Amino acid sequence: MSASQAAKKQGGLAGVIAGESAICTCGLGNGLNYYGYAIEDLARNCDFEEVAFLLQYGELPTSKELESYKEKIIASRALNENLKAVLRAIPKTAHPMNLMQSAVAALGSLEPESDDFKDQDEKIIRLLGVLPSVLCYWHHYANFGREIDFNSAQKSIAGYFLEKLELQAPSDEFIKAMHCSLVLYAEHEFNASTFTARICASTKSDIFSSVAAAIGALRGPLHGGANEAAMHLIEGFSSVEAAIDGVNKKLENKELLMGFGHRIYGTGGDPRNALIKVWSKKLGGDTLLFKVSEAIENLMKEKKPNLPPNADFYSASAYYFMGIPTDYFTPIFIMSRVSGWCAHIKEQRANNKLIRPSSTYIGPEPRNFIKITQR
Ligand code: CMC
């Protein structure tokens, strides 16, 4: 059997139960729940910080707890001079996902977690506060040579990020849409990046290394990078007709349609899609881009009913309608998913066992060694 045949047989660990977790159910009855709360309830009613608190501590906050949590996140926004220097050294040609990963790795050196992990909750709050600042500071410095400050009257991560990106106050509608998207992206069971974070944490590594590793896994277009790839797909069509024609051709050529399909949800569909679609429609329902998106969705429903759109498909247009550059779609995913990764890192640490599976060997039989001079 060839290596590729073997990999196909193993199927990317599809269907393998790789551990226990109390954080999230994904795909049970097609639903998505964080600590037992339905994603529909959370997305329609909660600011992202409420959900981040839930993921960090296992319970929804009271108003007082939420207020204090938000204050701590706000106090964690500023970058110190060393981190700024790291960011200034990264050129504008860098992929923002690599930038974010470098910043998190640098934080591990500049503000290390203690060896006994007693400060892990503080570090989680630091990450929640600082990640929007990292992206916005670098965006303005790399592109325009200007340094931004981190003062803002915006109390939420959603509002703060939008304000610092544009350097002007965002509309309430954009802030609400951003909250919804951050809530939807916050947690998703043993997806590739979360599992990466857990593997790293299982070696008793620090929280910054675990999050940096997870960012690497999130970057790829089969995972978090799909929202950017979906945007490229949608904006590549200049009319509904061109979209129908183009998608048909892609299907004939057996190309992947980015933003469709999901390992866990399968035919039932990703419950996050309908929730973010509401916002995409509200923000840009009368635009060609939205009409093209719906045309692609409808065509896929007809031609590939087993491949419904996932959360990334309408997140792409929702972000576009908020004026966010496409390269920043997946970094926004980080700002949200860091809450889920850290919940899993805490859970892994609380009952740790090194994650170290085995493989089926398909290499050569044992053979005689020949010295380099005789080969
Ligand atoms: N477009 C066209 N064909 C597809 C697609 C798609 N988006 N997704 C799956 N297929 C086909 C695939 O080619 C394969 O066909 P065949 O059996 O003829 O070889 C069949 O469907 C089964 O697909 P698979 O790749 O074995 O399924 P998987 O569970 O390994 O992959 C997936 C899941 C999400 C990676 C895949 O559906 C995909 O690549 N989708 C596009 C990328 C994407 O949108 N990713 C975001 C996932 S959701 C957000 C997140 O978790 O980050």
Side-chain angles (χ1 to χ4, degrees):
M1 191 190 304
S2 72
S4 66
Q5 282 170 326
K8 196 147 192 176
K9 189 170 164 240
Q10 212 163 11
L13 301 182
V16 171
I17 304 292
E20 290 188 334
S21 175
I23 301 169
C24 175
T25 58
C26 169
L28 284 187
N30 278 330
L32 172 62
N33 298 274
Y34 301 166
Y35 278 113
Y37 293 106
I39 193 63
E40 289 77 9
D41 289 334
L42 297 173
R44 290 185 185 127
N45 298 297
C46 292
D47 282 359
F48 170 62
E49 283 78 357
E50 275 180 83
V51 170
F53 185 100
L54 170 69
L55 292 170
Q56 190 165 347
Y57 301 109
E59 294 295 340
L60 284 168
T62 62
S63 302
K64 213 170 144 201
E65 284 169 335
L66 182 62
E67 192 63 24
S68 140
Y69 188 62
K70 281 186 171 177
E71 286 307 326
K72 286 185 199 159
I73 294 173
I74 290 168
S76 299
R77 285 174 176 169
L79 310 183
N80 64 36
E81 287 308 316
N82 287 334
L83 186 52
K84 285 186 194 169
V86 170
L87 299 181
R88 286 198 297 268
I90 297 177
K92 73 172 178 185
T93 48
H95 193 287
M97 289 298 280
N98 292 113
L99 170 270
M100 298 293 274
Q101 191 182 40
S102 304
V104 171
L107 277 167
S109 302
L110 301 171
E111 303 173 16
E113 189 182 26
S114 65
D115 290 341
D116 58 10
F117 308 145
K118 272 203 179 115
D119 53 354
Q120 63 178 355
D121 282 313
E122 281 165 42
K123 298 303 180 193
I124 294 170
I125 288 169
R126 174 64 168 147
L127 281 164
L128 285 165
V130 82
L131 288 172
S133 303
V134 163
L135 184 60
C136 293
Y137 178 86
W138 178 77
H139 166 72
H140 290 287
Y141 188 82
N143 289 299
F144 313 110
R146 65 183 167 225
E147 293 199 52
I148 59 162
D149 64 36
F150 309 104
N151 304 320
S152 168
Q154 297 290 338
K155 296 271 184 208
S156 68
I157 292 168
Y160 174 70
F161 169 67
L162 289 168
E163 180 187 295
K164 288 298 168 188
L165 187 65
E166 292 290 336
L167 298 184
Q168 62 182 32
S171 70
D172 285 348
E173 210 172 38
F174 282 9
I175 296 175
K176 281 189 192 147
M178 184 55 77
H179 272 295
C180 175
S181 126
L182 296 176
V183 168
L184 297 180
Y185 270 147
E187 163 55 11
H188 219 211
E189 202 221 24
F190 277 22
N191 58 84
S193 57
T194 301
F195 197 52
T196 303
R198 285 191 82 122
I199 291 172
C200 191
S202 83
T203 69
K204 300 204 174 183
S205 186
D206 69 297
I207 201 161
F208 296 108
S209 300
S210 305
V211 169
I215 292 173
L218 188 71
R219 182 187 160 163
L222 296 190
H223 188 12
N227 55 15
E228 296 182 22
M231 189 65 225
H232 294 311
L233 169 80
I234 301 161
E235 69 185 351
F237 300 118
S238 55
S239 67
V240 165
E241 295 70 32
I244 291 172
D245 196 37
V247 170
N248 271 324
K249 285 203 180 98
K250 282 178 187 294
L251 290 176
E252 277 164 29
N253 295 336
K254 297 210 171 291
E255 284 177 48
L256 276 185
L257 269 291
M258 305 315 282
F260 289 87
H262 199 280
R263 170 72 63 81
I264 303 294
Y265 296 119
T267 325
D270 182 336
R272 301 168 299 177
N273 176 53
L275 296 161
I276 195 64
K277 184 177 175 184
V278 168
W279 276 108
S280 176
K281 190 168 185 176
K282 218 179 254 186
L283 300 179
D286 52 0
T287 62
L288 174 66
L289 196 97
F290 186 81
K291 287 177 187 139
V292 163
S293 305
E294 272 202 320
I296 297 174
E297 183 188 14
N298 291 335
L299 181 65
M300 286 295 282
K301 201 184 282 177
E302 182 196 323
K303 293 278 171 81
K304 294 274 174 191
N306 57 333
L307 290 175
N310 55 53
D312 290 320
F313 189 67
Y314 281 104
S315 298
S317 47
Y319 289 154
Y320 176 87
F321 296 136
M322 282 184 242
I324 296 168
T326 305
D327 275 1
Y328 297 165
F329 291 3
T330 323
I332 296 173
F333 200 153
I334 300 178
M335 292 174 203
S336 161
R337 184 58 60 84
V338 70
S339 58
W341 292 332
C342 290
H344 281 269
I345 292 166
K346 283 178 73 173
E347 189 181 57
Q348 180 67 35
R349 286 173 169 180
N351 187 16
N352 192 48
K353 180 86 181 155
L354 175 73
I355 299 174
R356 200 291 186 199
S358 303
S359 64
T360 304
Y361 181 66
I362 55 164
E365 294 298 317
R367 42 189 172 158
N368 293 332
F369 176 76
I370 302 164
K371 284 190 179 166
I372 193 159
T373 49
Q374 288 154 24
R375 260 174 251 153

